[in-house]
Amino acid sequence: MLARLFKRHRCYAQLNAEGVCVAIWELKQQPKTGHWVEVNELQPRWIGKPLPAAARVSRRDTRTGWSMLPA
């Protein structure tokens, strides 16, 4: 129960086909429809403008916590 209270919200920006930000929200999970990307902060000034490349959050592949070393 306590973990639910402190679940981290993430920031997402919705982009149109040209890469222009049309909406920005703080949500628990990424929306299922539309072109949404995770961003590092909420910046209303991005709306109506191309999203800066530095704003995107880069996601590491977390499926594997280890890697094989060459023999």
Side-chain angles (χ1 to χ4, degrees):
M1 181 175 144
L2 195 56
R4 264 190 300 169
L5 293 174
F6 296 104
K7 188 170 183 176
R8 183 176 172 255
H9 286 104
R10 293 185 168 138
C11 303
Y12 294 95
Q14 184 180 24
L15 307 179
N16 66 12
E18 290 81 34
V20 174
C21 180
V22 294
I24 191 161
W25 291 89
E26 186 175 16
L27 305 165
K28 290 183 181 178
Q29 61 186 20
Q30 185 171 2
K32 302 290 184 212
T33 60
H35 182 72
W36 291 86
V37 295
E38 188 173 356
V39 294
N40 54 15
E41 60 182 324
L42 287 177
Q43 283 293 338
R45 67 180 178 206
W46 294 337
I47 296 175
K49 299 178 183 173
L51 188 69
R56 292 179 185 240
V57 172
S58 62
R59 306 300 283 165
R60 286 181 280 173
D61 188 3
T62 56
R63 288 179 284 171
T64 59
W66 56 275
S67 60
M68 294 183 66
L69 297 174

